[in-house]
Amino acid sequence: MPAHITLLFPFMDPRQITPELLARAGAALGKVRAFAFRLRRVGRFSATAYLQPEPADSFAEMTAALVRAFPLFPPYGGEHAGVIPHLTVAHGDASEAQAAAAALEARLEASGPVQAQCNSAALIGNASGRWEEIHRFTLPLDDAPARR
């Protein structure tokens, strides 16, 4: 899977996705405008190393909008009390995650933060056994009226 910041997982079986469902997701995501962010800090969960997007508010806002549109699909199956937007870098083994976190911290120290722009969100699925993009939702730009 390419680098990404998860907005809502797990989600429905890709075979259940209809044009109407895509329109509902697009309307939810369309309330958030495209935005700049940076990755300059490394974070850890027990077996995961990740980069923290700053600011994280717009990612959290997209997740909240999707949850309102699809209340039967809480983030991470409702397993966690809250959502921490993050870009997963290493996952699976605590010692490997720690090594990845140390390497990332050294790289960020040497190169500085990663500057990025979020212009879209993608719906991806792995029904075929490979993660593939199903649909891409373009976020409105600052000078464009927000979709309702």
Side-chain angles (χ1 to χ4, degrees):
M1 170 168 303
H4 67 284
I5 296 173
T6 300
L7 299 176
L8 186 60
F9 176 84
F11 198 53
M12 66 182 60
D13 184 318
R15 294 173 292 220
Q16 297 175 321
I17 295 173
T18 63
E20 294 78 22
L21 183 133
L22 293 174
R24 186 170 18 144
L29 291 168
K31 295 176 183 169
V32 178
R33 297 191 178 285
F35 58 95
F37 67 99
R38 66 183 174 200
L39 302 165
R40 69 181 181 104
R41 294 180 194 219
V42 177
R44 286 284 316 277
F45 299 130
S46 61
T48 302
Y50 63 87
L51 292 169
Q52 301 172 357
E54 298 174 356
D57 296 354
S58 293
F59 291 108
E61 187 179 337
M62 286 192 286
T63 295
L66 288 168
V67 170
R68 285 190 298 275
F70 303 98
L72 297 178
F73 298 95
Y76 304 102
E79 191 176 315
H80 306 288
V83 174
I84 298 171
H86 61 282
L87 188 148
T88 300
V89 178
H91 175 74
D93 176 88
S95 63
E96 290 175 4
Q98 180 58 40
L104 277 172
E105 287 170 354
R107 178 66 60 101
L108 288 171
E109 180 70 28
S111 302
V114 175
Q115 303 293 332
Q117 179 77 18
C118 181
N119 296 317
S120 63
L123 173 60
I124 59 174
N126 69 346
S128 69
R130 289 186 48 166
W131 289 102
E132 300 173 315
E133 184 174 308
I134 296 169
H135 189 82
R136 182 165 295 274
F137 304 93
T138 302
L139 301 179
L141 301 174
D142 282 336
D143 58 351
R147 292 177 270 167
R148 303 246 182 250

